[in-house]
């Protein structure tokens, strides 16, 4: 993942937390949040998928290919895990 892509993913998580929470509530068929600080496994997967789709769109526009590597997916998961409490807090409220 390029530095600008990682900054983009960070910005999505930090600035679109409320939007992510709204989408998660609308799409939720199962519980997405354990408590104010932790997501369920399904919630974490949903958040990773949301961020992955945004990064794929950015990459497709910049490089004409939306392909992400295994390393990209691991990095997204790490970033979502690092911001899990923020995402869970938005969803819990």
């Amino acid at each position: 993942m390029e530095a600008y892509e990682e900054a983009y993913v960070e910005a999505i998580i930090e600035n679109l937390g409320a939007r992510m929470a709204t989408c998660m509530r609308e799409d939720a068929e199962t519980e997405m949040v354990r408590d104010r600080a932790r997501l369920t496994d399904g919630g974490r997967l949903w958040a990773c998928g949301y961020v992955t789709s945004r990064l794929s769109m950015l990459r497709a526009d910049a490089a004409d290919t939306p392909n992400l590597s295994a390393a990209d997916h691991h990095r997204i998961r790490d970033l979502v895990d690092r911001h899990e409490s923020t995402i869970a807090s938005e969803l819990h409220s």
Side-chain angles (χ1 to χ4, degrees), residues 8-66:
Y8 177 75
V9 170
E10 287 270 2
I12 288 169
I13 294 170
E14 292 172 4
N15 298 320
L16 295 180
R19 177 69 185 138
M20 283 177 60
T22 299
C23 290
M24 289 172 88
R25 280 188 208 101
E26 291 171 357
D27 289 345
E29 292 184 17
T30 61
E31 285 294 315
M32 297 281 193
V33 64
R34 289 188 202 283
D35 54 47
R36 288 190 183 273
R38 295 181 304 150
L39 298 169
T40 63
D41 291 341
R44 190 174 296 104
L45 286 172
W46 194 101
C48 287
Y50 182 88
V51 173
T52 297
S53 69
R54 292 297 191 110
L55 179 58
S56 291
M57 288 187 296
L58 175 71
R59 190 167 284 177
D61 187 49
D64 293 327
T65 179

Side-chain angles (χ1 to χ4, degrees), residues 1-10 55 58-59 62 68 72 79:
M1 185 181 305
E2 300 291 333
Y4 76 92
E5 292 173 327
E6 187 165 336
Y8 177 75
V9 170
E10 287 270 2
L55 179 58
L58 175 71
R59 190 167 284 177
L68 300 178
D72 293 330
L79 290 168

